[in-house]
């Protein structure tokens, strides 16, 4: 080896960098999970050296340091696997504190969320009750309105009753005594009343009943009859026949003008027939059931010479 000259030393001095003391090298550990063919997952750590900026030469502090950081970060990111994250020394030092603080914040968040849910349920509870109450009230109002409409629509559709005739088959007056033994004239009547009942309802049928048909003379009921109950469907009609009869009814002083030796009267006899027909319609079950009552009164005159001959009642009756 030969000794270097002063010129060589002088030329080499500026170009050769001065070596600085060795700086520490940091290592970053990142967990990664590898699974092979369904086996249990294992955790491994990859170490990647990161050059300290202080260890780079003075003349290339900015460029070399930036290049080293970029290359090291690219190598580090390339070694990361899905599910892993970077861990810095500051993260390692404050890991325990962050976990404890994160747990406290998590508990606070859970409590706040539960409180918010309870408040929302309370706020939603009142409107639901209001909606249910409004639904019930609305349904009741609509149903009531519908029922009133049906009731109003059914009222004009009243049944029509037309009296046809009455035929007196027996009319006999004879002397006798009442149940207390008082002597008086007794009358026996046997007759048949015919009528036509028509239901004008377009969407309902009716159940028909009637009070007893009373045949009276001088305000004394001398005969009576009962009409059988029946059901009449919508927009239909039927002919009804009722037997009206009386047996040995005491006349007391009213029969003086009617008595005769033959047992039959020779003079015309004024009579009156009266009764009430009741019709009940079940339009909407038992909730809407309009009722139609019609009082019928017929004034007629019986001629003893026309026994067993029907007497027309078309122009002799009034309907109330």
């Amino acid at each position: 080896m030969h000794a270097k000259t002063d010129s060589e030393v002088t030329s080499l001095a500026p170009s050769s960098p001065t070596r600085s003391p060795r700086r520490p090298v940091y290592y970053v550990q990142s967990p990664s999970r590898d699974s092979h063919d369904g086996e249990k997952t294992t955790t491994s750590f990859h170490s990647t050296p990161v050059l300290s900026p202080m260890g780079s030469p003075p003349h290339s502090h900015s460029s070399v340091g930036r290049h080293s950081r970029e290359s090291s970060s690219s190598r580090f990111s390339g070694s990361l696997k899905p599910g892993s994250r970077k861990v810095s020394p500051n993260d390692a030092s404050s890991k325990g504190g962050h976990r404890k603080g994160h747990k406290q914040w998590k508990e606070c968040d859970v409590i706040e969320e539960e409180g918010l849910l309870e408040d929302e349920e309370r706020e939603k509870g009142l409107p639901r009750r209001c909606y249910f109450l409004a639904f019930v009230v609305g349904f009741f109002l609509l149903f009531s309105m519908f029922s009133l409409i049906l009731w109003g629509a059914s009222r004009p559709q009243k049944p029509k009753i037309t009296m046809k005739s009455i035929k007196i088959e027996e009319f006999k007056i004879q002397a006798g005594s009442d149940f207390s033994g008082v002597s008086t004239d007794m009358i026996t009547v046997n007759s048949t009343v015919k009528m036509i009942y028509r239901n004008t309802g377009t969407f309902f049928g009716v159940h028909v009943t009637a009070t007893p048909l009373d045949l009276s003379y001088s305000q004394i009921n001398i005969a009576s009859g009962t009409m059988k109950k029946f059901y009449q469907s919508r927009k239909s009609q039927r002919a009804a026949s009722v037997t009206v009869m009386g047996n040995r009814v005491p006349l007391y002083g009213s029969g003086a003008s009617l008595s005769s030796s033959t047992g039959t009267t020779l003079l015309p006899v004024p009579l009156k027939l009266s009764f009430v027909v009741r019709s009940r319609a079940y339009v909407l079950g038992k909730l809407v059931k309009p009722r139609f009552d019609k009082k019928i009164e017929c004034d007629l005159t019986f001629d003893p010479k026309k026994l067993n001959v029907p007497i027309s009642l078309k122009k002799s009756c009034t309907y109330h």
Side-chain angles (χ1 to χ4, degrees), residues 70-87:
E70 291 175 356
S71 60
S72 61
S73 62
S74 62
R75 289 195 302 270
F76 179 68
S77 61
S79 63
L80 289 176
K81 294 183 178 181
S84 62
R85 67 182 185 89
K86 296 181 182 180
V87 180

Side-chain angles (χ1 to χ4, degrees), residues 174-186 250-253:
Q174 57 187 5
S177 59
D178 60 5
F179 63 93
S180 62
V182 177
S183 298
T184 184
D185 293 329
M186 312 292 288
L251 293 175
Y252 300 106

Side-chain angles (χ1 to χ4, degrees), residues 143 146-148 150 203-204 281-290:
F143 185 79
F146 180 69
S147 301
L148 287 174
L150 290 178
F203 58 92
F204 58 87
Y282 295 93
V283 180
L284 192 63
K286 292 186 177 181
L287 297 176
V288 181
K289 47 182 182 179

Side-chain angles (χ1 to χ4, degrees), residues 26-250:
Y26 294 97
Y27 290 87
V28 178
Q29 295 179 347
S30 61
S32 63
R33 297 180 179 178
D34 300 328
S35 58
H36 302 283
D37 299 332
E39 295 180 357
K40 192 173 182 180
T41 304
T42 59
T43 305
S44 62
F45 295 90
H46 297 277
S47 299
T48 304
V50 179
L51 296 178
S52 173
M54 299 300 294
S56 60
H59 67 277
S60 60
H61 181 270
S62 61
S63 61
V64 176
R66 183 168 61 252
H67 176 71
S68 61
R69 283 196 298 272
E70 291 175 356
S71 60
S72 61
S73 62
S74 62
R75 289 195 302 270
F76 179 68
S77 61
S79 63
L80 289 176
K81 294 183 178 181
S84 62
R85 67 182 185 89
K86 296 181 182 180
V87 180
S88 63
N90 294 330
D91 292 340
S93 62
S94 59
K95 186 175 182 181
H98 282 305
R99 288 182 177 176
K100 185 179 292 185
H102 179 70
K103 186 175 182 181
Q104 292 176 356
W105 278 108
K106 188 175 182 181
E107 291 178 355
C108 293
D109 293 342
V110 171
I111 293 173
E112 289 180 359
E113 288 179 359
E114 290 179 354
L116 291 173
L117 290 174
E118 289 179 358
D119 293 340
E120 289 180 359
E121 289 179 356
R122 290 175 182 174
E123 291 178 359
K124 291 180 180 179
L126 184 59
R128 286 179 182 174
R129 296 193 193 101
C130 292
Y131 292 151
F132 178 75
L133 182 61
F135 173 77
V136 172
V137 173
F139 177 79
F140 179 76
L141 290 176
L142 289 176
F143 185 79
S144 301
M145 187 178 296
F146 180 69
S147 301
L148 287 174
I149 292 173
L150 290 178
W151 181 83
S154 63
R155 290 303 297 173
Q157 303 180 21
K158 298 179 180 180
K160 292 183 178 180
I161 302 171
T162 304
M163 300 301 297
K164 297 294 290 183
S165 64
I166 180 172
K167 183 174 68 172
I168 298 176
E169 300 157 353
E170 182 180 7
F171 194 90
K172 184 186 296 186
I173 299 172
Q174 57 187 5
S177 59
D178 60 5
F179 63 93
S180 62
V182 177
S183 298
T184 184
D185 293 329
M186 312 292 288
I187 186 170
T188 301
V189 178
N190 189 2
S191 63
T192 302
V193 177
K194 291 183 179 181
M195 70 185 80
I196 293 177
Y197 183 94
R198 183 171 181 265
N199 179 20
T200 61
T202 57
F203 58 92
F204 58 87
V206 290
H207 299 264
V208 184
T209 59
T211 60
L213 281 72
D214 294 328
L215 185 64
S216 61
Y217 165 74
S218 186
Q219 298 182 352
I220 298 176
N221 290 336
I222 59 175
S224 181
T226 303
M227 185 174 68
K228 293 181 180 180
K229 300 178 182 179
F230 61 90
Y231 173 80
Q232 193 66 35
S233 59
R234 62 187 183 91
K235 294 186 71 67
S236 62
Q237 66 180 23
R238 71 165 60 192
S241 179
V242 183
T243 300
V244 179
M245 59 185 302
N247 184 28
R248 297 180 63 82
V249 177

